[in-house]
Amino acid sequence: MAQTDLIIKNGRIIDPANNIDFTGSVAVSNGTIQAVGTDLNIQAARVFDATGCLITPGLIDCHVHCYEHATPLGINPDESCLSRGVTTVVDAGSSGESTFPGLKKFIAEKTPGGEIDSLNQANVEACVKCIEANRDMIVGVKVRLSETIANDGKMKKKPIGDRLRHQNELEYHLWFIIHYRLCLHSQMESRRRCVAQKTCAQTDTIFPDVLDASKRGVLFDVGHGQGSFSWKVVEICAKANFWPDIIGTDMHTGNNDGPVYDLPLVMSKFLHTGMPLVDIIKATTYTPARAIKWSNSIGSLTVGKTADITVLKIDEVDIDLEDSQSQLRKISKLIKPVAVWKAGRRFEITNPKHFPNLYARANNALEWHNIVIRDEIPPNELIPSCDLVEIPPV
């Protein structure tokens, strides 16, 4: 009989990368996947019984801000991601070339990973050098052009984004992200997000160029954030069977205590709106791994690959769950993390500090008037009265 370090048994294994969906076991040895099957004849030093649970590749969140203490938005990735079942995160633009060494030393190396009011803060040549020196970590480039951090939107008209994109297309073929927000004056900007943008929502149907882009292979990420997930818009997309390719949280200090909470909570929102469970798992494992070109090591339970594994449970519930403007939907199923292993090492699972967080709901409800596609009843009429003071952790 073969020997191994760990067996996770009796769970429903969902591994979209390998078209696996059956009840069985996963064996782990020396931090890698040793075997996956329905009847493994292997003796293990440790056994985890996943009866009634899902066994999936380690969840991947392709949009977080985790440069803790160095940026106002930076969360602790161990507390808000790893302990919620997320084994890999992509930090979406918390550092530039001048601050990347700190992100690498204090965040990435610790956890096996400036804005743009003036162009002197955006040096294309220095950015390129930073990419060349860190190809093992850097999976893309992001330019944030929100009016609040881009000189009231004036930087949107500068060529910095085009120069970076052109260089990237010629040499690196990495992700390239341009972030817009509250942009009514540009047709291109108003169409860039179909699942969420605040005042950029212009219609109750999906733009044809969005559907065309999807057919061409363009991947659509959720990017929930503090202002970019709308129940109403997702329901419009659901009617058209238009689901996100990647489910990312855009988690930061302004939303990790609501409305985002964590990646499994965002996954629960799509489960509620009818997205097939297997597609939800694919959008948080295989597709993001392939998008960042790391599918050779993560995003699946392929034998020989890194043993990043998440165990999830779907609880029967009866709770109200909010979107970014605190519009509510009553959900009956909640995806929760039960256990997580990173490279074969198990980490503790935690729960959100405040859930549901009435303080965050009351604050975010104030943004309801700024969106075009919305519920008929203002959310503050549905939320219990709550003084706007911080709620202490439970």
Side-chain angles (χ1 to χ4, degrees):
M1 180 181 294
Q3 301 285 327
T4 193
D5 299 330
L6 167 70
I7 283 186
I8 306 170
K9 66 177 186 177
N10 299 333
R12 178 184 173 186
I13 304 172
I14 300 179
D15 179 13
N18 291 300
N19 294 315
I20 289 175
D21 186 354
F22 55 70
T23 298
S25 303
V26 178
V28 175
S29 180
N30 295 320
T32 61
I33 304 294
Q34 181 183 2
V36 179
T38 57
D39 188 18
L40 300 182
N41 188 24
I42 299 175
Q43 187 173 7
R46 299 184 308 279
V47 176
F48 183 90
D49 190 347
T51 299
C53 298
L54 311 175
I55 303 173
T56 74
L59 300 182
I60 301 170
D61 193 337
C62 259
H63 193 157
V64 302
H65 296 272
C66 61
Y67 201 171
E68 188 185 26
H69 304 309
T71 63
L73 296 179
I75 59 169
N76 184 308
D78 286 351
E79 295 176 0
S80 296
C81 302
L82 183 58
S83 72
R84 311 290 172 79
V86 178
T87 56
T88 300
V89 299
V90 178
D91 185 281
S94 295
S95 74
E97 51 82 21
S98 63
T99 57
F100 183 80
L103 179 69
K104 182 176 181 180
K105 179 176 178 61
F106 296 112
I107 304 300
E109 292 179 357
K110 175 186 175 185
T111 60
E115 298 294 4
I116 194 171
D117 277 339
S118 171
L119 283 183
N120 64 14
Q121 297 170 268
N123 186 318
V124 174
E125 288 72 25
C127 179
V128 169
K129 289 180 180 179
C130 183
I131 294 171
E132 291 173 344
N134 297 277
R135 289 300 303 274
D136 60 325
M137 279 187 57
I138 295 176
V139 298
V141 181
K142 178 178 178 179
V143 180
R144 283 228 299 161
L145 296 177
S146 294
E147 79 291 347
T148 54
I149 51 86
N151 195 17
D152 293 327
K154 296 182 178 65
M155 290 302 109
K156 290 198 289 283
K157 300 179 181 179
K158 302 296 182 180
I160 180 70
D162 289 338
R163 290 181 61 197
L164 274 170
R165 180 175 58 195
H166 180 66
Q167 185 103 24
N168 178 48
E169 289 174 350
L170 287 178
E171 299 185 38
Y172 302 112
H173 308 290
L174 303 175
W175 266 23
F176 187 78
I177 304 171
I178 296 181
H179 174 105
Y180 292 101
R181 179 177 178 269
L182 298 180
C183 303
L184 290 173
H185 56 277
S186 166
Q187 184 182 47
M188 179 193 73
E189 292 167 0
S190 70
R191 293 185 177 192
R192 69 171 294 274
R193 281 191 181 178
C194 66
V195 185
Q197 190 70 335
K198 268 186 171 181
T199 53
C200 292
Q202 299 290 307
T203 178
D204 60 356
T205 59
I206 303 173
F207 286 109
D209 51 359
V210 169
L211 298 175
D212 290 342
S214 180
K215 291 177 182 178
R216 295 197 311 271
V218 174
L219 299 178
F220 285 81
D221 177 22
V222 174
H224 187 302
Q226 191 168 7
S228 298
F229 177 91
S230 162
W231 280 121
K232 195 80 170 179
V233 175
V234 175
E235 288 160 358
I236 292 169
C237 293
K239 289 180 180 178
N241 202 33
F242 185 83
W243 301 110
D245 302 289
I246 297 172
I247 298 177
T249 62
D250 189 10
M251 195 186 318
H252 53 71
T253 55
N255 63 39
N256 65 327
D257 280 335
V260 170
Y261 300 104
D262 55 36
L263 181 58
L265 259 294
V266 177
M267 295 163 66
S268 300
K269 294 180 177 181
F270 283 91
L271 186 65
H272 170 75
T273 51
M275 186 173 180
L277 177 61
V278 172
D279 291 345
I280 292 172
I281 301 302
K282 184 177 181 180
T284 51
T285 57
Y286 175 61
T287 302
R290 182 168 54 88
I292 63 174
K293 300 182 179 179
W294 279 21
S295 58
N296 62 330
S297 59
I298 63 172
S300 74
L301 298 175
T302 302
V303 172
K305 290 190 178 181
T306 303
D308 289 358
I309 305 170
T310 301
V311 175
L312 302 166
K313 186 177 182 181
I314 302 178
D315 281 349
E316 300 291 331
V317 297
D318 183 18
I319 60 174
D320 291 324
L321 196 57
E322 75 268 35
D323 66 9
S324 292
Q325 290 78 38
S326 292
Q327 299 177 123
L328 303 178
R329 297 294 185 271
K330 189 170 290 294
I331 68 168
S332 60
K333 298 183 183 297
L334 188 67
I335 300 175
K336 297 179 64 176
V338 174
V340 63
W341 289 263
K342 174 70 175 173
R345 177 187 172 191
R346 188 176 177 182
F347 289 85
E348 180 184 1
I349 291 293
T350 64
N351 296 309
K353 294 178 181 178
H354 318 125
F355 180 72
N357 188 346
L358 298 184
Y359 169 76
R361 284 186 181 178
N363 263 350
N364 294 326
L366 301 176
E367 292 292 315
W368 178 82
H369 296 282
N370 290 328
I371 56 176
V372 175
I373 299 177
R374 62 192 185 192
D375 292 345
E376 295 181 2
I377 302 175
N380 53 15
E381 295 182 13
L382 304 175
I383 297 172
S385 60
C386 174
D387 294 332
L388 294 185
V389 296
E390 187 60 54
I391 299 174
V394 295

